[in-house]
């Protein structure tokens, strides 16, 4: 990965700190988060030879309408949380969410194609 891509990712992660999650959706290779200020972030699984999570900030109108390809995830449990921190480069990104706690977004390969994984993918049992 080039230093320019790392710098872009770092800027995208910095840009989402302090924003409040309005809603989120995911598919096998993408995770889109809409914030209450009219912006959003898209996390994508990229680079099939070395799986990486790429992040790009966009206006809310540019967020994709993601449909679940394999399984359905209800992201309602992160709504209302504020992004307190966003860390990582390469195969994983970790978001620290005020109400929901940490959310790790990872990228790996299955049959040579990148995909995203989430830990956790649902709220912790209380």
């Amino acid at each position: 990965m080039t230093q320019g891509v790392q710098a872009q990712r770092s800027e995208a992660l910095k840009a989402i700190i302090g924003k409040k999650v309005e809603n989120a959706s995911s598919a096998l290779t993408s995770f889109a988060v809409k914030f209450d200020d009219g912006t959003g972030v898209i996390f994508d699984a990229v680079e099939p030879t070395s799986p990486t999570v790429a992040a790009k900030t966009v206006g809310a109108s540019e967020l994709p309408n993601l449909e679940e390809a394999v399984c359905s995830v209800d992201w309602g449990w992160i709504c209302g949380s504020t992004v307190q921190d966003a860390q990582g480069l390469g195969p994983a990104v970790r978001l620290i969410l005020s109400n929901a706690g940490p959310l790790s977004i990872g990228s790996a390969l299955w049959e040579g194609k990148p995909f995203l994984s989430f830990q956790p993918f649902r709220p912790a049992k209380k």
Side-chain angles (χ1 to χ4, degrees):
M1 180 171 23
T2 67
Q3 193 171 19
V5 171
Q6 287 179 347
Q8 275 184 322
R9 184 172 308 114
S10 178
E11 290 303 313
L13 293 179
K14 287 179 191 176
I16 67 172
I17 294 172
K19 295 188 181 235
K20 187 174 183 180
V21 176
E22 186 172 297
N23 64 47
S25 62
S26 61
L28 192 59
T29 61
S30 296
F31 179 50
V33 180
K34 180 180 177 186
F35 300 110
D36 69 349
D37 69 351
T39 65
V41 63
I42 303 167
F43 295 97
D44 287 307
V46 297
E47 297 184 29
T49 58
S50 176
T52 301
V53 177
K56 177 182 175 184
T57 53
V58 296
S61 64
E62 297 174 67
L63 289 170
N65 184 13
L66 299 175
E67 295 183 22
E68 298 301 328
V70 177
C71 62
S72 180
V73 176
D74 177 2
W75 290 107
W77 62 278
I78 69 170
C79 294
S81 292
T82 299
V83 179
Q84 295 178 317
D85 198 9
Q87 312 159 348
L89 295 173
V93 169
R94 183 173 168 95
L95 304 179
I96 307 301
L97 303 170
S98 62
N99 299 335
L103 173 63
S104 294
I105 306 161
S107 181
L109 295 177
W110 173 257
E111 296 184 354
K113 296 179 183 173
F115 68 94
L116 292 179
S117 64
F118 306 95
Q119 193 59 275
F121 60 91
R122 62 181 176 225
K125 292 182 181 180
K126 294 183 180 183

